[in-house]
Structure formats: C-alpha cells, structure tokens
Amino acid sequence: MVEVKNEEKERIASEDMGVQIENQDGIELRSFGTVKRWATKRSLWMVHYCTGCGGIELAPLMTSRYDMERFGMHPMVTPRQSDLLLITGYVNIKTLKRIIRTYEQMPDPKYVVAFGSCPINGGPYWDSHVTINHLDKYLPVDVYIAGCMPRPQSIVKAFDMLMDMIQSGKADGYLRYKKYYDRYKANQEKLFRKWW
Amino acid sequence: MSEDEFAKKMAEFPDSEVKVLRKGQIAMKVPAEKGHDAARFLKDMGFTHLVAIEYVDWIKDGEFELVYNLFSYEHKMRVFLKVRIPRDKPEYITFMDLWPIAMTHEREAHEMMGIVFKGNPNLTPFILEDWKSIPPMRKDFDARKFVKETYESIPFVEDEP
Ligand code: SF4
C-alpha cells in the first residue's frame, strides 16, 4: 500500500496527468500518473528543427555513435506530433517568431532544451543587434546545457536529466507558459512589429 | 591578357580611375552617374559574373561606397567597380537589367545600409523583418546601446514583480 500525500494529489491533478478517478485511497490516480510519465519520458520525439551552430551536434547524437534512439527519442517532422523542442544555438528575432509558432503548435506535455551559452545569455553574440539574449524571457526552458557548443556527451546527460525531471514532475515549462502566458506574450510583442 | 593590359583597356572608359591591386584583382572607380555604363562596359569585356555588391560607409566623407564585385571566368580575373553616393540621399539605380541576381544583393544593401535602388521591385526586409531602428551596418548605429534598450530592458517573466 502506497501512501499518497495530499499535496502530491493536488500536484498530479494540477498537471493534468490523466483521468481523475475519485477514490478513497487515491492509489489508482497516482499509479496512473507515474505510468504516464514513465511512458512520456521514454518516447520523447523531437521537432526536427535546428537554429545556430548546434545542429551539427545532432548528427553524431542521432546516428550510431551516441544513438539517441536507445532512449526512445527520434526526430519528427511536424510539431504537432512532437514533445521536445531543441533550441540548438543563437536565436534571432525572425527565428524566434518561428520557434514560438512551432512551440504553440506542439501538444502538451512539451519540453524545451536550450543548447549552449547563446540561449542562456547571448554567449559570444551578447552585443549583436539581431540575437535575442535570454531565451527564457520569451519561452519557458526546462533544461539548459552550458558550453559553446556542448559536446554530445553533455547533451545525452541533459536528456537524462530531462527524463528524471519528467518522472518527478519538475519539467513543468508548458505549465509555466500557461500560467504566465500574458507576460510571455507581452515580452514577445515588444520585439515583433507584426505577428505575421 | 595580364592585369596591366586589362587596366589599360579599362582606363579608356571616361573619368575612370583604375588601379591594379594584386595578381588577378583590379579596382576601377567611376563617378556615380557613369556607374551603369561602366558596368555594361565591363560586362562586354567578359566580366559576366556579379559575385556580390559590397557597401562601405565612409561616414567622415559623408558618402556610401558601393563596390560591385565582378568576375570573369574567361580571363580568371576580378574587378571591383566602385561608385560613391551621398550619405544624406542614399539612392542609386538598379543593375537588374544587366544581372538579374542584383535584385538579391541590392535587397541586402537596402536592408543593412538603407540604400534605395530605383527600379528594384523587391526591396522588402529579408532577415530584419521586425527592425525598428536605423539600418544596422551604418557606422553611426550603436549596437551596444541598441542591445541594452531592446533586449536587456525586457524583464524576466518569472521574477515576481
Ligand atoms: S553557444 Fe557557441 S556554438 Fe552555440 S550557438 Fe552560440 S556561438 Fe554557436
């Protein structure tokens, strides 16, 4: 018999992790969320989209050297069938618009991993006139990888971390995006002259 | 033909200033109103490839310089055709009738330097589609100040106000 704390119940409910069954002991609810999260973390499909320098690091990652598919990850061509968005380097305003479009088309739950120092604070492009410096002012990020550019080992480590975070329910970027939607939108609109 | 022979031939073009830079590279300066004729003259000489249009901001002289980078596959030779236009009235004519690719190069020069090419129908922004400041490649554009005002002034979302 597993004991389910009240706050745990609330958290699972707030994350919309499956159907809610009102139960005396609540065990069904919990096990359902756990299974669902386990399934989610083992079948992350990423949008096949690269910005900046990092796309080149994905080639050894996807192919036999580091073989991302052993984690159940593989590239998917449409955002509507993906759960993972990789921001693989610097982002400029024009790209940001496309990234937001892509991100908003992805179904929940969705996760963002930012590669390298450029999305963290601008990196070598900190005073460039087109690169937005902090990605998290416009989009919630779940995992950052430091480095310029991070090696595939660190990327694998980040995926490992992301999986742990999904299992423990800490990867809540999409929930934060909903919660602070107005603020994210306000920040985005400061950069864009027109939406399309 | 050698560079010197080419330079001699180019010097026949009225008001031109020709200089051999190094092996296989010649620079030719003409007044702005003769630029189009000079381009046609060079094209007839065998410089059939417009590689790029470069733009230089000579802010102290109050002028923009357009450098047409031409190449000849026949002679394996490169010519830089240079014209200068005033900075306060940055207008020039399009070279699309000679090289259709000039449309793209002129579009870039328009976006980055704010030079208007008369006769070019496609001077819409390409990379800087949301640009709100003066063209960024001008010497009086302060990138640091722009970044401070545009990107660094935006607040972090999840810091509670
Ligand atoms: S962090 Fe370095 S490698 Fe990555 S996008 Fe920026 S400059 Fe390129």
Side-chain angles (χ1 to χ4, degrees):
Chain A
M1 206 54 174
V2 193
E3 197 193 326
V4 185
K5 287 194 206 107
N6 240 351
E7 58 216 65
E8 177 87 351
K9 234 195 263 178
E10 264 170 36
R11 190 171 60 73
I12 292 167
S14 74
E15 282 168 20
D16 195 17
M17 279 292 185
V19 190
Q20 289 230 23
I21 307 158
E22 279 303 329
N23 211 330
Q24 275 296 302
D25 50 21
I27 282 174
E28 270 179 53
L29 181 65
R30 175 169 181 171
S31 61
F32 188 73
T34 311
V35 170
K36 181 156 187 263
R37 280 183 234 178
W38 173 81
T40 309
K41 78 168 188 181
R42 299 300 296 188
S43 66
L44 289 171
W45 292 7
M46 57 171 241
V47 190
H48 202 159
Y49 176 77
C50 302
T51 73
C53 320
I56 202 74
E57 301 294 339
L58 290 183
L61 203 66
M62 281 183 209
T63 49
S64 53
R65 182 75 169 88
Y66 291 98
D67 191 15
M68 179 165 100
E69 208 159 324
R70 68 200 149 117
F71 303 119
M73 306 173 90
H74 72 104
M76 179 35 79
V77 285
T78 65
R80 288 177 195 271
Q81 283 152 305
S82 326
D83 340 67
L84 184 59
L85 181 58
L86 306 179
I87 311 293
T88 56
Y90 51 79
V91 176
N92 65 34
I93 305 179
K94 187 173 178 177
T95 316
L96 181 68
K97 214 186 260 182
R98 273 85 187 154
I99 288 175
I100 291 166
R101 282 283 277 208
T102 309
Y103 183 74
E104 290 184 349
Q105 285 182 48
M106 288 163 62
D108 282 354
K110 51 193 170 186
Y111 309 99
V112 179
V113 177
F115 287 36
S117 36
C118 282
I120 298 179
N121 63 2
Y125 296 103
W126 63 284
D127 63 351
S128 159
H129 58 272
V130 275
T131 54
I132 60 150
N133 285 350
H134 297 89
L135 180 66
D136 52 0
K137 288 179 180 175
Y138 315 98
L139 212 63
V141 179
D142 292 301
V143 180
Y144 282 111
I145 315 170
C148 172
M149 184 39 83
R151 308 244 328 128
Q153 291 94 319
S154 7
I155 300 173
V156 171
K157 176 84 180 117
F159 289 157
D160 202 34
M161 242 171 89
L162 179 67
M163 286 178 187
D164 287 346
M165 282 169 69
I166 293 171
Q167 184 71 68
S168 60
K170 277 189 210 135
D172 57 353
Y174 64 101
L175 295 171
R176 280 184 279 133
Y177 193 64
K178 280 185 198 160
K179 185 169 168 201
Y180 298 113
Y181 187 72
D182 295 340
R183 288 193 216 167
Y184 278 116
K185 272 283 160 250
N187 279 0
Q188 292 162 8
E189 264 150 31
K190 275 182 200 148
L191 294 187
F192 303 147
R193 207 166 46 188
K194 62 178 193 317
W195 185 230
W196 279 104
Chain B
M1 274 211 288
S2 74
E3 287 79 11
D4 293 328
E5 281 166 310
F6 263 111
K8 225 186 204 169
K9 239 175 130 187
M10 283 173 200
E12 285 168 18
F13 189 83
D15 297 333
S16 64
E17 232 180 85
V18 183
K19 200 174 145 201
V20 177
L21 301 175
R22 57 172 71 85
K23 192 175 174 336
Q25 287 188 7
I26 306 168
M28 177 177 177
K29 236 183 199 174
V30 292
E33 62 279 2
K34 294 231 171 81
H36 196 271
D37 293 340
R40 191 185 298 275
F41 173 78
L42 290 172
K43 196 179 175 189
D44 291 342
M45 268 172 81
F47 295 93
T48 49
H49 182 192
L50 175 64
V51 181
I53 301 175
E54 287 117 36
Y55 33 86
V56 188
D57 188 358
W58 295 102
I59 191 164
K60 280 186 197 145
D61 303 347
E63 283 175 330
F64 287 131
E65 186 172 62
L66 289 167
V67 184
Y68 292 84
N69 185 340
L70 307 175
F71 187 72
S72 161
Y73 289 98
E74 199 182 322
H75 310 295
K76 303 281 182 289
M77 192 82 64
R78 196 178 286 276
V79 176
F80 300 108
L81 173 66
K82 301 182 180 180
V83 295
R84 288 211 180 189
I85 54 175
R87 212 167 175 282
D88 46 11
K89 192 166 170 280
E91 276 181 6
Y92 203 53
I93 39 168
T94 178
F95 281 17
M96 269 172 69
D97 47 342
L98 296 173
W99 293 281
I101 188 63
M103 183 171 86
T104 309
H105 297 316
E106 286 167 2
R107 189 179 176 188
E108 183 194 327
H110 174 255
E111 178 167 46
M112 295 295 173
M113 213 48 132
I115 300 169
V116 179
F117 291 88
K118 281 194 207 140
N120 187 327
N122 192 19
L123 292 179
T124 47
F126 177 48
I127 295 169
L128 309 175
E129 55 179 28
D130 290 293
W131 195 249
K132 295 175 197 155
S133 183
I134 63 167
M137 291 294 149
R138 290 198 180 181
K139 284 272 192 296
D140 51 359
F141 173 76
D142 186 346
R144 188 70 202 110
K145 191 161 146 257
F146 178 79
V147 169
K148 256 198 186 126
E149 284 168 5
T150 315
Y151 305 119
E152 291 179 9
S153 66
I154 291 180
F156 282 97
V157 169
E158 288 161 32
D159 299 345
E160 290 298 334

